[in-house]
Amino acid sequence: MASTVFGTTAVIALVVGVVLFLRLRRKPETRAGAYISATVLFLGAGMLAMGSISFGSLEAAALRTFTEQERGAAMPCQAAVLGAEETSNKLNGRYIWLLRLRVTPQAGGPYEIERTARLTWSMGERLERGNMVLPCLVARTDHTRIEIPALA
């Protein structure tokens, strides 16, 4: 969601910068302002685009919740927390944590994955110590898609 907001704002800033530059550079008395305002808007658009890419990568690796239909088709599993690391990114007042998990589905062998999750400070501190096993759900067709209700 945040990546979409940052990306859309970056595109709007880029369009406004181009239109403003083309409009202001026509008159000699506003030519300097055209270059300055366009530079500021293009730098802002670039920063917003980098934010969009950053949040997009975090969202791609995030724990997602399943729809009711997916939840019904998913199989139960256990997720052992191997490690948790707090990132410097914050979204809606909660820090983003990088979790290393060993997932053990009911059918099949265990495997390790890394996911990000928005956690409260106290939950992140408990997970950082490790040795915690959380119940989870895993999609039958894609074992990389998991949902951990305790972290939602």
Side-chain angles (χ1 to χ4, degrees):
M1 174 66 182
S3 63
T4 306
V5 172
F6 274 82
T8 303
T9 310
V11 170
I12 291 170
L14 185 66
V15 169
V16 168
V18 169
V19 169
L20 192 62
F21 177 75
L22 292 176
R23 189 83 175 129
L24 290 178
R25 75 179 175 100
R26 291 181 184 179
K27 297 180 183 174
E29 63 270 10
T30 59
R31 189 166 290 145
Y35 288 107
I36 293 170
S37 61
T39 302
V40 170
L41 280 168
F42 292 151
L43 285 173
M47 290 173 53
L48 288 167
M50 287 187 297
S52 174
I53 292 168
S54 174
F55 276 111
S57 66
L58 286 172
E59 290 168 357
L63 290 170
R64 302 199 191 285
T65 56
F66 291 162
T67 64
E68 287 300 321
Q69 184 180 13
E70 290 171 331
R71 196 172 286 120
M75 60 183 168
C77 63
Q78 298 291 319
V81 179
L82 302 175
E85 182 182 330
E86 182 180 14
T87 66
S88 60
N89 295 324
K90 202 173 189 182
L91 183 62
N92 295 336
R94 291 173 138 184
Y95 281 102
I96 308 269
W97 287 72
L98 178 63
L99 306 174
R100 283 189 345 217
L101 306 168
R102 178 179 292 123
V103 179
T104 308
Q106 282 185 343
Y111 57 94
E112 293 183 12
I113 60 172
E114 286 189 354
R115 288 291 180 266
T116 59
R118 283 184 337 128
L119 303 175
T120 61
W121 181 80
S122 60
M123 177 59 94
E125 290 294 317
R126 282 186 278 166
L127 292 177
E128 193 172 34
R129 289 189 291 260
N131 298 327
M132 190 173 212
V133 178
L134 302 168
C136 63
L137 295 171
V138 63
R140 291 184 189 277
T141 57
D142 183 7
H143 289 291
T144 60
R145 291 198 58 224
I146 67 169
E147 176 185 75
I148 303 175
L151 301 181

